Amino acid sequence: MIMLFLLVFLGSALGGVCRFAAAEHVPLRSTLIVNCLGAFLTGLMVTSIIENREEDYEHFTLFAVVGFLGGFTTISAWALETWNLLKSRSYRQAALNGLGTWALCLIAVAGGLALGRVL
């Protein structure tokens, strides 16, 4: 179990460093670029590496998808969850997850900013 946490930890650290490096080189558009790249890489990894293999890819998934891409961008996990809901024809849940996450996160940021100004 400790090994699994370590894999996520190391992947997250590497992803965070890559996110920082991307922001340093492309500061004005880094969020959009990183989020789109992370979502693309999530789809690519899940399909070509994980879904198309018979072997157990738990360690790779934890390091690369959960860890690295989670540290690189959090939107990749959100996009994959929403896609899986669409794929399973859970359209209402997909809409709620997609639009709900977007709207609630904007509200949460506004709330955090407001509270930060008061404190």
Side-chain angles (χ1 to χ4, degrees), residues 6-89:
L6 187 59
L7 286 170
V8 173
F9 172 77
L10 293 173
S12 297
L14 185 59
V17 168
C18 289
R19 172 66 179 245
F20 177 75
E24 288 295 306
H25 293 331
V26 192
L28 295 178
R29 295 188 182 100
S30 64
T31 300
L32 178 61
I33 291 168
V34 165
N35 287 339
C36 289
L37 180 60
F40 174 79
L41 289 174
T42 298
L44 181 67
M45 286 183 189
V46 167
T47 301
S48 66
I49 297 171
I50 299 165
E51 286 183 2
N52 291 334
R53 304 288 190 257
E54 302 253 345
E55 299 95 47
D56 179 24
Y57 281 92
E58 179 185 18
H59 292 97
F60 178 79
T61 302
L62 289 173
F63 176 79
V65 177
V66 176
F68 179 79
L69 291 173
F72 190 61
T73 173
T74 56
I75 200 163
S76 56
W78 166 79
L80 181 61
E81 289 170 2
T82 304
W83 178 257
N84 284 335
L85 288 169
L86 288 170
K87 195 166 103 174
S88 68
R89 298 179 186 238

